[in-house]
């Protein structure tokens, strides 16, 4: 049974990225929820699952479509008989407002009050509830763009770990895809810019390595843009970038930031006369096309995807679109990367739980995850526990052109490189 998606909460505090430890008061002891052998959230005929999503934020940025994507996948699973005969009781997603305190509160509510078996999806730029969910042994699924998705035993990225640690690997879709668009990386330069935050600094570190490994000269790599407010004046950043390649402009500018910053930066670069390639990992969203100013700012920008583009003819993409339409009450709704984040987070949970068998416990689920693998999904070939250390290595690039998206580099899986 699926419960209605909850009403969105009011806009909350500013964007933040933290990884906060849980207090000792949240710990489990044998016999309590989360302890070994307990099947919290599992009854004879149902499995209770909830989500945590940034439905609202102080900046207006929203990931609310993540909830619809998860609902779509669970609806199809239930229509096909559930998971080994059990119906998925999806409670919908709690809104954390991109607020660390609300993220923690949402995790506690789902576990201690709603008593869910799993959290899928978890999609936010803050995951302060990670330590609590790990401690309570709650299988949790989301987009592996935060360090908490890399290493913990009970937390899974739907396309693997995208924030590697030393000994892990880097997904080369972005640098090699841009190299393909430029006719090769040798002799080409790139500027990488990010917000002045922990996430931005780590992004600079990872992509600087990735682009260098692909053969690019990294002419500029700075996490210098304020994380709490979009600059009104981009001229200082643009001047630095345009002179970064020994006084010349780089061949490509890569932004590791969200849409409001990308619009400001790319508009300023275009007004300066910059003719090089522009790219970011964020702006694949038909909702952005509703405003002419946004379309103009992002026109020609190549967006990194780590899943099959919606323009793909893959039968699994057709299934995804049909499932989302059914979950939306038969209406055609705009698709976004958030929709697919929710769908594929739910899909990985369903796939592992199905393998765990009829006797579903946290222990049987984790045992199934340890030997899990499948092929040809919308994120490529999946396997665990590899995905808790490395990405699945697949992706594509799409370009906004004339008010519509088109595939600029088709979806493929590339050999990763070591992260140092």
């Amino acid at each position: 049974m699926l419960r209605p998606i909850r009403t969105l909460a009011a806009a909350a505090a500013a964007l933040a990225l933290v990884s906060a430890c849980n207090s000792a008061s949240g710990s489990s002891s044998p016999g309590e929820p989360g302890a070994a052998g307990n099947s919290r959230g599992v009854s004879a005929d149902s499995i209770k699952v909830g989500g945590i999503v940034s439905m609202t934020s102080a900046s207006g940025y929203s990931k609310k479509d993540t909830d619809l994507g998860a609902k779509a996948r669970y609806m199809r699973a239930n229509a096909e008989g559930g998971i080994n005969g059990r119906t998925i009781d999806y409670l919908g997603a709690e809104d954390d407002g991109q607020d660390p305190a609300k993220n923690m509160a949402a995790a506690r509510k789902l576990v201690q009050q709603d008593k869910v078996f799993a959290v899928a999806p978890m999609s936010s730029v803050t995951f302060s509830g990670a330590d609590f969910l790990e401690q309570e042994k709650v299988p949790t699924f989301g987009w592996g763009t935060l360090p908490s998705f890399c290493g913990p035993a009970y937390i899974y990225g739907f396309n693997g770990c995208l924030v590697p640690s030393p000994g892990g690997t880097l997904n080369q879709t972005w640098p090699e895809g841009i190299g393909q668009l430029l006719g090769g990386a040798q002799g080409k330069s790139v500027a990488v810019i990010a917000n002045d935050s922990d996430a931005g600094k780590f992004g600079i570190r990872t992509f600087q390595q990735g682009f260098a490994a692909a053969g690019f000269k990294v002419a500029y790599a700075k996490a210098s843009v304020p994380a709490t407010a979009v600059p009104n004046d981009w001229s200082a950043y643009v001047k630095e970038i345009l002179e970064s390649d020994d006084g010349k402009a780089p061949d490509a500018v890569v932004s590791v930031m969200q849409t409001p910053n990308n619009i400001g930066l790319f508009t300023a670069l275009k007004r300066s006369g910059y003719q090089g390639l522009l790219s970011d990992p964020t702006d694949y969203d038909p909702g952005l096309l509703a405003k002419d100013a946004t379309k103009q700012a992002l026109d020609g920008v190549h967006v990194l995807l780590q899943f099959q583009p919606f323009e793909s003819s893959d039968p699994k993409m057709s299934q995804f679109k049909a499932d989302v339409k059914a979950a939306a009450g038969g209406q055609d709704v705009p698709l976004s990367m958030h929709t697919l984040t929710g769908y594929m987070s739910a899909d990985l949970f369903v796939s592992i739980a199905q393998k765990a068998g009829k006797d579903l416990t946290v222990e049987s689920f984790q045992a199934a995850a340890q030997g899990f693998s499948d092929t040809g999904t919308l994120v490529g070939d999946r396997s665990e526990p590899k995905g808790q250390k490395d990405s699945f290595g697949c992706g594509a690039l799409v370009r906004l052109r004339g008010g519509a998206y088109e595939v600029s580099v088709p979806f493929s899986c590339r050999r990763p490189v070591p992260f140092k």
Side-chain angles (χ1 to χ4, degrees):
M1 177 176 64
L2 286 160
R3 301 184 183 180
I5 298 175
R6 288 171 170 74
T7 303
L8 297 180
L15 175 67
L17 177 65
V18 299
S19 179
C21 295
N22 178 52
S23 66
S25 62
S27 63
S28 295
S29 60
E32 292 180 344
N38 191 275
S39 54
R40 173 185 52 210
V42 179
S43 70
D45 56 9
S46 70
I47 306 169
K48 194 178 291 186
V49 181
I52 304 172
V53 174
S54 295
M55 311 275 251
T56 60
S57 71
S59 68
Y61 189 74
S62 173
K63 298 173 180 262
K64 64 181 178 61
D65 293 340
T66 310
D67 195 32
L68 176 63
K71 179 182 178 183
R73 183 62 184 92
Y74 292 137
M75 282 182 62
R76 177 159 70 87
N78 285 343
E80 294 173 345
I83 298 176
N84 297 311
R86 289 187 176 93
T87 298
I88 302 164
D89 181 9
Y90 179 51
L91 308 184
E94 298 289 326
D95 179 16
D96 77 351
Q98 292 192 158
D99 182 320
K102 289 187 176 182
N103 187 276
M104 173 63 83
R108 287 186 177 278
K109 177 181 181 296
L110 288 172
V111 176
Q112 296 173 340
Q113 180 176 322
D114 297 330
K115 302 190 183 303
V116 298
F117 176 79
V119 173
M122 200 311 291
S123 184
S124 176
V125 297
T126 181
F127 195 6
S128 55
D131 287 346
F132 172 75
L133 293 170
E134 177 74 4
Q135 181 175 277
E136 294 295 304
K137 299 180 171 64
V138 181
T140 301
F141 296 78
W143 197 356
T145 56
L146 299 174
S148 299
F149 284 94
C150 304
Y154 298 89
I155 300 177
Y156 302 85
F158 73 81
N159 51 1
C161 160
L162 303 179
V163 187
S165 58
T169 60
L170 294 172
N171 184 326
Q172 287 297 88
T173 295
W174 209 358
E176 290 186 12
I178 289 178
Q180 183 176 330
L181 291 169
L182 293 175
Q186 295 299 324
K188 302 297 195 310
S189 60
V190 62
V192 187
I193 186 168
N195 290 118
D196 182 10
S197 65
D198 290 343
K201 292 171 185 175
F202 194 88
I204 289 295
R205 179 184 173 192
T206 57
F207 291 119
Q208 189 170 13
Q209 287 188 34
F211 278 95
F216 280 95
K217 173 186 176 182
V218 181
Y220 178 98
K222 291 186 178 182
S224 54
V225 180
T228 55
V230 179
N232 292 319
D233 184 0
W234 288 90
S235 57
Y237 303 101
V238 169
K239 184 177 187 297
E240 276 197 331
I241 289 171
L242 295 184
E243 297 175 353
S244 61
D245 186 10
D246 298 326
K248 306 188 304 294
D251 295 289
V253 176
V254 170
S255 169
V256 193
M257 299 186 288
Q258 291 185 340
T259 303
N261 282 303
N262 295 336
I263 289 173
L265 174 64
F266 294 155
T267 298
L269 283 166
K270 289 178 180 180
R271 287 175 178 170
S272 75
Y274 181 68
Q275 298 295 312
L277 185 147
L278 300 173
S279 188
D280 71 56
T282 306
D283 298 319
Y284 185 51
D285 183 352
L288 298 173
L289 309 182
K291 296 181 179 179
D292 288 339
T294 302
K295 284 193 295 185
Q296 184 175 354
L298 298 176
D299 189 69
V301 174
H302 296 266
V303 185
L304 170 69
L305 308 182
Q306 285 153 339
F307 52 83
Q308 284 276 8
F310 300 139
E311 293 76 16
S312 167
S313 59
D314 189 305
K316 289 184 175 60
M317 180 54 68
S318 298
Q319 179 72 70
F320 163 74
K321 292 177 179 178
D323 292 344
V324 172
K325 183 174 182 178
Q331 301 295 313
D332 288 313
V333 295
L335 302 173
S336 72
M337 62 174 62
H338 304 308
T339 318
L340 195 132
T341 293
Y343 187 90
M344 292 307 296
S345 297
D347 183 76
L348 184 56
F349 165 70
V350 168
S351 299
I352 295 175
Q354 193 73 36
K355 183 181 177 183
K358 182 67 176 176
D359 183 19
L360 180 62
T361 63
V362 171
E363 290 70 35
S364 68
F365 185 92
Q366 289 295 101
Q370 287 302 301
F372 175 81
S373 66
D374 60 6
T375 61
T377 76
L378 290 176
V379 296
D381 299 346
R382 306 183 294 193
S383 66
E384 301 295 349
K386 172 191 173 183
Q388 293 175 304
K389 183 178 180 181
D390 300 316
S391 86
F392 297 144
C394 307
L397 292 173
V398 297
R399 175 173 59 174
L400 179 59
R401 188 174 186 181
Y405 291 102
E406 62 183 20
V407 177
S408 53
V409 177
F411 184 84
S412 65
C413 298
R414 302 170 186 269
R415 184 182 297 277
V417 298
F419 175 66
K420 300 176 183 179

